[in-house]
Amino acid sequence: SRHSLTVFKLTYNKLLHTTDSFDRTMDENPAIAMSFRNQFVPSINYTYTFERTYGATGNRRFYWQNSVTSAGNLLSGILRAFGERQPQTLFGNRFSQFVKEVSEVKFYHRIGRRNNWLATRLLVGAGYAYGNSEVMPYSEQFYIGGANSIRAFTIRSLGPGSYRPPADDRNGYLDQTGDIKFEANLEYRFPILGDLHGATFLDAGNVWLLRYDKSRPGGQLKWGRFLKDLALGTGIGLRYDLTFLVIRLDWGIGLHVPYDTGKKGYYNIPDFKDGMGVHLAIGYPF
């Protein structure tokens, strides 16, 4: 077991330069614009990590990490005690106030005498802005997709919920963040030849909003739509182990997206090539 405590951390978020296209996107999405505003993020973080290897041959390994971040609450209480009401400022700038929790569980099981492993991961995260903030800073919001997530889709190309940005919006990916994240991964790893290994995997997940946002319809978490809102992808990959690092190539294949594509049925990818993602990365995804 390991405990990590960050007693105080102060971050300042400031936009140094924007384009006209970016400004138009912010004008159309007030909630996103608030998350990009200049602000201080005074935070405290506590992380607990538990890791254990089981079995006489070490063929099972369990890992759990739970992290809690509280931002702006202590400072807000101090300023309130001195009579300053919300919205409160620090050095003339608003500061963020939220609480955020992320829990990740991983389990590895070796199958047979060869170096075959079944690796699983479950990650759940949630953040809630209140008091001095309407939304969390953009850097603290959740996103999904990419080489270490749902590998059939590129980073920030899913969610929140069933929302999909307009196809002609070049900055649409900026909208694809959320307050809640759920992700599950299953991967079977096996040797091929020498230091070359292979894998086949199945990934699922999405992000959601806690509050309704009219500019992102379908983004709020609705339990009745939870399973439909989960994006699903499978795929295969290669890993080359150089001892000091692992070079990884994954080819993901989409099976289901949470938004309406015009195609009926669970497999709603309009065209096979539209549901593919290729990722070259360093290290294992989890």
Side-chain angles (χ1 to χ4, degrees):
S1 293
R2 297 191 302 273
H3 304 267
S4 174
L5 177 64
T6 301
V7 178
F8 181 72
K9 177 182 177 182
L10 182 62
T11 305
Y12 181 56
N13 292 342
K14 180 178 177 62
L15 275 176
L16 298 177
H17 175 73
T18 64
T19 63
D20 292 338
S21 177
F22 179 90
D23 291 337
R24 285 194 298 271
T25 300
M26 295 301 100
D27 291 340
E28 296 167 358
N29 299 273
I32 294 294
M34 284 189 289
S35 71
F36 272 104
R37 69 186 171 198
N38 299 341
Q39 59 188 307
F40 284 99
V41 187
S43 62
I44 300 172
N45 173 269
Y46 168 70
T47 300
Y48 171 71
T49 305
F50 175 81
E51 189 171 0
R52 184 174 179 182
T53 299
Y54 299 85
T57 59
N59 63 339
R60 286 172 292 168
R61 178 177 161 228
F62 177 79
Y63 173 96
W64 174 47
Q65 184 173 85
N66 193 77
S67 178
V68 179
T69 302
S70 175
N73 299 299
L74 180 60
L75 180 59
S76 178
I78 294 173
L79 293 177
R80 191 179 295 112
F82 283 91
E84 184 174 339
R85 301 304 176 190
Q86 293 171 339
Q88 299 163 323
T89 60
L90 178 65
F91 305 125
N93 284 273
R94 287 273 290 270
F95 61 87
S96 187
Q97 188 175 7
F98 65 87
V99 62
K100 179 180 177 182
E101 195 270 347
V102 180
S103 187
E104 182 182 28
V105 176
K106 294 184 283 189
F107 182 73
Y108 307 87
H109 179 67
R110 184 164 56 199
I111 301 173
R113 295 183 178 181
R114 299 189 68 197
N115 200 25
N116 297 337
W117 287 87
L118 184 65
T120 59
R121 174 175 66 170
L122 178 65
L123 186 148
V124 179
Y128 179 68
Y130 60 98
N132 213 41
S133 299
E134 296 86 356
V135 295
M136 291 193 299
Y138 193 78
S139 59
E140 295 290 341
Q141 295 181 16
F142 296 103
Y143 58 87
I144 206 160
N148 297 320
S149 182
I150 307 179
R151 286 159 281 183
F153 308 99
T154 56
I155 194 169
R156 287 188 175 90
S157 62
L158 295 167
S162 60
Y163 169 73
R164 188 184 190 187
D168 58 350
D169 187 355
R170 295 178 57 187
N171 294 316
Y173 68 93
L174 294 171
D175 302 348
Q176 300 193 262
T177 58
D179 309 306
I180 302 171
K181 180 177 181 177
F182 177 89
E183 183 178 332
N185 309 89
L186 176 67
E187 181 169 290
Y188 179 62
R189 301 168 181 170
F190 52 89
I192 297 177
L193 180 64
D195 295 328
L196 182 64
H197 301 258
T200 180
F201 53 83
L202 186 69
D203 305 319
N206 204 345
V207 295
W208 293 267
L209 302 174
L210 277 174
R211 301 181 177 97
Y212 172 73
D213 183 357
K214 65 178 182 180
S215 64
R216 291 183 284 178
Q220 189 178 20
L221 177 63
K222 299 289 186 181
W223 293 113
R225 282 196 51 88
F226 179 76
L227 293 179
K228 291 182 180 180
D229 282 352
L230 289 179
L232 183 68
T234 186
I236 55 176
L238 295 173
R239 291 95 169 87
Y240 191 74
D241 191 347
L242 298 175
T243 305
F244 58 93
L245 62 83
V246 174
I247 300 176
R248 173 167 55 95
L249 178 66
D250 284 331
W251 175 39
I253 303 169
L255 300 177
H256 175 76
V257 289
Y259 49 82
D260 182 20
T261 64
K263 184 176 181 179
K264 296 182 179 180
Y266 186 77
Y267 178 76
N268 59 352
I269 310 294
D271 197 325
F272 181 77
K273 64 180 178 61
D274 294 334
M276 292 193 301
V278 179
H279 305 279
L280 180 63
I282 300 297
Y284 288 98
F286 56 91

